[in-house]
């Protein structure tokens, strides 16, 4: 278990590498950035595309029972009334009137400071891996400052949504450390609003979608009527979603513009939903491992029954051990027939199927695996990042930074490195190989600097293999290259045909 300092260092190192090597930049950086928005650079956009492509290939193309969809980002505003987002897609917001900071009430924790059974004040702390320790330390310091004698009770953290009205005035703001400036929590709708057309009035209000899922429900009938799908079947979509998060944080983990990969799997109302739910959880776990996430970092969180939405039968989140804590990566929800029923009511268009066996119409139920591309990308960066001491041929020890990305998602699959750049035959062979490889794969040609330096550059970018074209390649029989593996740093001689066979097997 890494210490908090090690975790903070890992996060810092990942953010720094992401910027330095062109994976991720703050959005509009030359204007100071915009909180909660990010740009993906040359390596980042390849990595993101590979994650999307792997998911799409495995979820849609390689299955017989799932079809794809690309619905519009701005949909009829009634979609969001029917889905419940206009009324209920809210987070509890707290303002600090002095510092003008805003907090999510459920992420702002507090506790009374109790000495010899008497409350002498309150302390507060923002949610973290060690909220309880932070509050306890704050309570001890508070007691010392007030010079109160007696036994300090262990703090019992509560979040701000649980604060009683008479407590709100007494809880210090995390920004100022003083009580009296926090407002009672109020509901804040997270949907971004815009206006469609030339008039900016109430009749033209529309929303940027906060999830891609509603596209699948609204187009359910279109797909049933225009394709040959039969229950059970799924509709999958990848696309941007937007949420005006109160506290975007942890780099790209919680942002205001992000990308989702969601799938709605429709089943008969009498089907064994629990079995289907479990199958989808297992599928999602296996898929995450297939793109290189280690089993040791994955766990499950089952939402307690009393905290589920009234229509939900069960939700399990696949959690990932990020440096800042174990957090939700992928939610798999059994949503019953809620969404189709709501849209049928609101649109007046039945969303039913006909059961040939019972000769009755019914509304299908749905299992929904919903994941964020950006969260997966952050997970693979964090799990893959390592700094190692390596010894070169001369016995010198140096540091190498390596990104252990699965070949499936690595932004560059192979780097082609001519040993030197001024030997015509050698360069010609390297360029020929590069040209052949780039027809199928993302490859890089690099002839700049010492070979060791070039290996390090590729290690940092997560490139699984480098091939070096050397004098033996052109002078000895067999046309053999040196293949160098990123993780083991081992080298072996390989033919062009063997290289293509290796790529064909590992990059899919
Ligand atoms: N249709 C269901 C739905 O949208 P959700 O749990 O709100 O459920 C699904 O979102 C997934 O989308 C999350 O598990 C997470 O991976 C990703 N996600 C949600 N909000 C996000 C945000 N603000 N930034 C990045 N990813 C987010």
């Amino acid at each position: 278990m890494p210490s908090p300092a090690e975790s903070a260092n890992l996060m810092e190192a990942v953010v720094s590498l992401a910027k330095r090597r062109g994976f991720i930049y703050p959005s509009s950086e030359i204007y100071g950035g915009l909180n909660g928005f990010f740009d993906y650079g040359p390596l980042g956009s390849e990595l993101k595309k590979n994650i999307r492509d792997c998911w799409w290939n495995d979820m849609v193309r390689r299955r017989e029972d799932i079809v794809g969809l690309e619905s519009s980002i701005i949909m009829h505003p009634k979609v969001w009334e029917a889905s419940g987002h206009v009324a209920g897609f809210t987070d509890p917001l707290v303002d600090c009137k002095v510092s003008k900071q805003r907090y999510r009430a459920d992420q702002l924790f507090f506790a009374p400071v109790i000495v010899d059974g008497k409350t002498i004040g309150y302390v507060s702390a923002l949610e973290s891996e060690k909220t309880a320790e932070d509050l306890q330390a704050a309570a001890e310091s508070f007691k010392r400052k007030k010079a109160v004698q007696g036994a300090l009770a262990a703090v019992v953290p509560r979040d701000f949504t649980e604060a009683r009205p008479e407590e709100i005035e007494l809880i210090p703001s995390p920004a100022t450390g003083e009580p009296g400036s926090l407002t009672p929590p109020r509901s804040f709708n997270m949907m971004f609003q815009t206006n469609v057309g030339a008039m900016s009035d109430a009749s033209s209000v529309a929303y940027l979608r906060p999830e891609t899922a509603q596209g699948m429900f609204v187009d359910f009938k279109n797909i049933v009527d225009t394709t040959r799908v039969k229950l059970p079947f799924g509709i999958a979509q990848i696309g941007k979603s937007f949420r005006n998060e109160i506290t975007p944080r942890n780099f790209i983990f919680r942002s205001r513009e992000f990308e989702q990969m969601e799938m709605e799997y429709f089943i008969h109302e009498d089907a064994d939903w629990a079995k289907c739910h479990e199958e989808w959880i297992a599928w999602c776990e296996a898929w995450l491992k297939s793109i290189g996430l280690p089993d040791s970092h994955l766990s499950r969180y089952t939402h307690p029954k009393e905290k589920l939405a009234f229509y939900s039968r069960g939700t399990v989140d696949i959690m990932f051990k990020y440096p800042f804590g174990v957090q939700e990566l992928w939610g798999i929800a059994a949503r019953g027939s809620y969404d189709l029923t709501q849209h049928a009511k609101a649109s007046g268009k039945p969303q039913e199927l006909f059961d040939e066996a019972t000769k009755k119409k019914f509304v299908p139920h749905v299992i929904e695996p919903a994941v964020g591309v950006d969260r997966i990308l952050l997970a693979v960066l964090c799990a893959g990042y390592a700094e190692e001491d390596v010894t070169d041929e001369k016995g010198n020890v140096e540091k190498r930074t390596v990104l252990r990305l699965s070949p499936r998602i690595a932004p560059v699959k192979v780097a082609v490195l001519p040993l030197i750049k001024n030997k015509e035959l050698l360069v010609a062979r390297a360029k020929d190989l590069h040209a052949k490889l780039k027809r199928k794969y993302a490859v890089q040609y690099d002839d700049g600097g010492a070979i060791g330096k070039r290996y390090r550059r590729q290690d940092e970018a997560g490139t699984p293999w480098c091939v070096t074209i050397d004098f033996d390649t052109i002078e000895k029989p067999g046309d053999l290259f040196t293949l160098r593996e990123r993780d083991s740093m081992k080298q072996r001689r390989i033919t062009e045909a063997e290289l293509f066979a290796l790529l064909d097997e590992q990059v899919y």
Side-chain angles (χ1 to χ4, degrees):
M1 180 81 183
S3 69
E6 282 165 348
S7 296
N9 288 346
L10 171 59
M11 198 57 202
E12 230 170 73
V14 166
V15 174
S16 150
L17 175 86
K19 173 79 199 294
R20 179 160 45 84
R21 291 308 312 267
F23 281 92
I24 302 165
Y25 313 120
S27 161
S28 334
E29 198 180 7
I30 57 167
Y31 293 101
L34 189 59
N35 197 8
F37 297 89
F38 294 91
D39 295 345
Y40 287 82
L43 288 179
S45 50
E46 283 287 341
L47 177 57
K48 205 167 179 217
K49 179 184 181 320
N50 293 341
I51 294 171
R52 282 195 298 255
D53 288 352
C54 282
W55 188 89
W56 189 262
N57 286 337
D58 293 339
M59 180 65 92
V60 181
R61 292 193 176 162
R62 294 177 181 142
R63 292 185 64 113
E64 308 290 307
D65 56 348
I66 296 179
V67 294
L69 176 73
E70 202 173 306
S71 64
S72 59
I73 285 175
I74 295 179
M75 302 167 80
H76 197 294
K78 283 196 174 151
V79 169
W80 306 108
E81 283 170 29
S83 66
H85 283 82
V86 170
F89 195 59
T90 56
D91 268 343
L93 171 72
V94 178
D95 281 304
C96 169
K97 288 178 282 190
V98 173
S99 69
K100 308 293 175 217
Q101 292 285 327
R102 297 194 134 173
Y103 304 102
R104 245 175 74 177
D106 55 345
Q107 293 171 350
L108 171 50
F109 282 78
F110 72 96
V113 182
I114 302 172
V115 178
D116 286 344
K118 200 169 156 244
T119 299
I120 61 164
Y122 282 78
V123 287
S124 65
L126 292 176
E127 185 183 35
S128 75
E129 270 292 271
K130 47 181 193 55
T131 312
E133 285 124 283
D134 288 348
L135 285 172
Q136 189 66 44
E140 276 156 23
S141 148
F142 184 87
K143 176 179 172 259
R144 257 196 318 277
K145 258 195 216 144
K146 297 272 167 194
V148 177
Q149 300 297 316
L152 175 69
V155 297
V156 181
R158 283 184 282 151
D159 78 48
F160 206 77
T161 60
E162 299 166 297
R164 292 189 296 274
E166 67 276 14
E167 287 180 311
I168 286 176
E169 276 286 296
L170 306 172
I171 298 169
S173 158
T176 64
E178 296 298 325
S181 65
L182 294 176
T183 62
R186 64 177 195 283
S187 289
F188 170 78
N189 195 300
M190 287 195 289
M191 281 197 294
F192 281 102
Q193 271 194 25
T194 185
N195 292 86
V196 174
M199 302 294 284
S200 286
D201 58 18
S203 69
S204 66
V205 166
Y207 304 96
L208 301 193
R209 68 179 174 200
E211 60 171 24
T212 60
Q214 294 306 317
M216 277 80 98
F217 296 121
V218 170
D219 273 323
F220 171 75
K221 266 302 211 180
N222 273 337
I223 287 180
V224 168
D225 294 343
T226 58
T227 68
R228 301 180 63 220
V229 290
K230 292 270 175 297
L231 282 190
F233 73 89
I235 309 176
Q237 163 156 232
I238 300 177
K240 289 268 183 155
S241 293
F242 303 82
R243 297 182 188 178
N244 199 359
E245 297 280 358
I246 299 169
T247 50
R249 60 181 178 164
N250 291 328
F251 197 31
I252 53 170
F253 177 81
R254 176 169 291 119
S255 46
R256 289 175 165 144
E257 174 178 338
F258 55 99
E259 203 157 0
Q260 288 186 307
M261 307 195 288
E262 297 196 280
M263 196 275 297
E264 306 299 330
Y265 199 71
F266 297 97
I267 54 176
H268 194 283
E269 59 175 348
D270 297 331
D272 185 347
W273 69 267
K275 181 165 169 267
C276 186
H277 190 215
E278 174 53 40
E279 283 166 3
W280 274 110
I281 300 165
W283 188 95
C284 297
E285 286 169 334
W287 188 82
L288 290 171
K289 288 179 214 164
S290 83
I291 60 156
L293 288 185
D295 202 18
S296 56
H297 285 49
L298 299 172
S299 55
R300 287 185 185 189
Y301 170 73
T302 304
H303 289 232
K305 283 245 164 343
E306 62 282 7
K307 291 217 169 156
L308 291 175
F310 69 92
Y311 53 82
S312 177
R313 294 172 153 199
T315 297
V316 170
D317 292 337
I318 299 176
M319 311 293 283
F320 183 78
K321 194 161 65 174
Y322 290 96
F324 44 86
V326 175
Q327 297 282 338
E328 174 189 336
L329 174 57
W330 200 329
I332 300 109
R335 296 178 63 93
S337 61
Y338 174 76
D339 302 271
L340 287 182
T341 306
Q342 286 295 100
H343 288 303
K345 269 195 234 155
S347 66
K349 313 254 167 31
Q351 302 293 310
E352 299 163 327
L353 296 179
F354 184 71
D355 185 339
E356 291 293 345
T358 60
K359 305 289 177 211
K360 279 193 197 144
K361 288 184 178 165
F362 68 98
V363 182
H365 286 212
V366 78
I367 307 289
E368 177 193 74
V371 69
V373 185
D374 314 76
R375 279 196 193 176
I376 295 179
L377 195 143
L378 182 58
V380 297
L381 289 183
C382 293
Y385 184 93
E387 287 172 15
E388 299 172 342
D389 286 335
V390 290
T391 314
D392 68 15
E393 317 83 62
K394 293 182 195 134
N396 302 322
V397 178
E398 59 166 21
K399 264 224 171 338
R400 82 157 180 156
T401 301
V402 57
L403 257 190
R404 294 209 169 85
L405 300 177
S406 153
R408 293 195 76 192
I409 57 167
V412 178
K413 308 301 180 193
V414 192
V416 178
L417 318 176
L419 189 63
I420 50 171
K421 60 176 171 188
N422 50 9
K423 179 88 184 160
E424 205 178 309
L425 272 181
L426 205 142
V427 169
R429 184 66 188 98
K431 288 207 161 143
D432 168 67
L433 178 66
H434 180 241
K436 283 181 189 155
L437 283 167
K438 74 179 176 189
R439 277 190 229 139
K440 272 188 94 174
Y441 301 104
V443 284
Q444 252 180 25
Y445 185 89
D446 186 0
D447 60 7
I451 197 76
K453 273 228 165 68
R454 285 185 264 167
Y455 286 154
R456 296 284 173 273
R457 264 206 292 273
Q458 296 300 331
D459 288 344
E460 268 198 343
T463 308
W465 301 285
C466 292
V467 282
T468 306
I469 289 78
D470 51 27
F471 290 104
D472 282 356
T473 313
I474 49 170
E475 286 167 3
K476 288 198 177 160
D479 189 30
L480 292 164
F481 319 115
T482 300
L483 180 88
R484 187 256 191 189
E485 289 173 3
R486 177 197 63 203
D487 297 348
S488 65
M489 295 186 288
K490 287 205 174 111
Q491 303 190 2
R492 65 190 158 103
R493 303 295 284 177
I494 189 171
T495 64
E496 186 178 302
E498 284 165 345
L499 176 63
F500 271 93
L502 173 75
L503 288 167
D504 187 47
E505 187 205 314
Q506 303 263 338
V507 181
Y508 59 94

